[in-house]
Amino acid sequence: DGGITQSPKYLFRKEGQNVTLSCEQNLNHDAMYWYRQDPGQGLRLIYYSQIVNDFQKGDIAEGYSVSREKKESFPLTVTSAQKNPTAFYLCASSIDLSRQGVSYEQYFGPGTRLTVT
Amino acid sequence: QQQVKQSPQSLIVQKGGISIINCAYENTAFDYFPWYQQFPGKGPALLIAIRPDVSEKKEGRFTISFNKSAKQFSLHIMDSQPGDSATYFCAASFYSGGATNKLIFGTGTLLAVQP
């Protein structure tokens, strides 16, 4: 079964602790994305990556960090510098859009709900 | 100019009725307009998408209507069913090169279809 897995589904942390969210895909997609979802605010882009060892900040990157050491994996670290880390985090991937005639579709994982108290 | 405004915030429709969700944008460079469906506790899934070179796209009970001059697009769900109850997000993006595109999402519409 091809798809995106995110683990864990629920994560609880104390304030001041860094936490890393896992995202793995076996779709052979080049591009990967991290979004944050808050009630009434839609999805907002945190970081994205076009290729291994390359990533760019999205609209709300402050307090987050990522790495892309393998094509299949794009972990997100929520640092203690993130002021309001409690949210639903979604990972997505897409085909390399520089190829001719490909779909722009982004495929989403099931999400991780992070609660920080 | 990067915003996508979505309305209504919530919608209640009777089974068999038509659900209509609207979105508006400002950036005329947007060239891809998808609609995503999300069930509680799940990730969004692409429902249907349209490019600005067509005014309408239909897939089963789902139709996107696109008005380029008004910079608006809408999702119509015909013969709405209780299983359609979910949150719907519109989005927009423009491709500026490279492997990725940045999707700008609307704030979502919570649809409840009553039996």
Side-chain angles (χ1 to χ4, degrees):
Chain A
D1 258 346
I4 301 176
T5 56
Q6 292 186 244
S7 61
K9 189 172 177 66
Y10 299 97
L11 192 53
F12 298 88
R13 281 292 184 272
K14 294 291 186 184
E15 194 174 318
Q17 294 180 332
N18 292 356
V19 60
T20 297
L21 281 59
S22 168
C23 176
E24 303 277 333
Q25 56 98 0
N26 61 3
L27 299 168
N28 198 31
H29 285 171
D30 297 282
M32 297 188 74
Y33 313 78
W34 273 105
Y35 293 89
R36 170 182 173 139
Q37 184 174 15
D38 296 283
Q41 293 197 48
L43 282 71
R44 293 180 290 166
L45 183 64
I46 304 172
Y47 267 98
Y48 60 104
S49 168
Q50 302 192 66
I51 198 169
V52 172
N53 293 324
D54 176 75
F55 46 84
Q56 288 80 38
K57 293 181 179 180
D59 301 316
I60 55 165
E62 186 175 349
Y64 300 97
S65 65
V66 293
S67 63
R68 188 90 186 274
E69 297 178 1
K70 299 187 299 181
K71 184 177 182 178
E72 305 79 17
S73 179
F74 191 40
L76 172 75
T77 297
V78 184
T79 75
S80 57
Q82 169 49 232
K83 300 299 181 190
N84 297 296
T86 294
F88 189 47
Y89 291 88
L90 289 158
C91 179
S93 69
S94 66
I95 287 175
D96 181 348
L97 300 185
S98 63
R99 300 181 195 171
Q100 290 292 325
V102 298
S103 165
Y104 282 12
E105 179 176 358
Q106 291 187 16
Y107 296 78
F108 283 83
T112 292
R113 185 165 299 280
L114 172 66
T115 302
V116 177
T117 58
Chain B
Q1 216 187 15
Q2 287 288 80
Q3 279 188 321
V4 176
K5 295 183 179 180
Q6 184 172 348
S7 63
Q9 189 173 359
S10 62
L11 182 61
I12 299 174
V13 173
Q14 295 297 316
K15 179 181 176 181
I18 302 174
S19 303
I20 302 174
I21 305 170
N22 301 297
C23 284
Y25 64 96
E26 288 296 321
N27 190 343
T28 55
F30 286 146
D31 63 358
Y32 174 68
F33 302 89
W35 283 91
Y36 279 83
Q37 180 188 56
Q38 184 181 31
F39 293 105
K42 306 292 185 183
L46 181 67
L47 194 59
I48 186 172
I50 198 168
R51 297 291 181 107
D53 52 346
V54 296
S55 60
E56 185 176 281
K57 183 174 181 180
K58 184 176 180 179
E59 290 184 2
R61 296 184 293 109
F62 302 92
T63 299
I64 297 179
S65 296
F66 184 80
N67 187 328
K68 190 173 181 178
S69 60
K71 291 184 284 186
Q72 295 175 348
F73 59 109
S74 60
L75 175 69
H76 296 237
I77 305 175
M78 311 300 289
D79 187 26
S80 298
Q81 299 296 312
D84 297 330
S85 297
T87 299
Y88 293 82
F89 292 95
C90 64
S93 76
F94 66 92
Y95 180 59
S96 57
T100 57
N101 66 323
K102 295 173 64 176
L103 283 173
I104 310 299
F105 283 87
T107 51
T109 295
L110 179 60
L111 171 65
V113 181
Q114 294 186 335

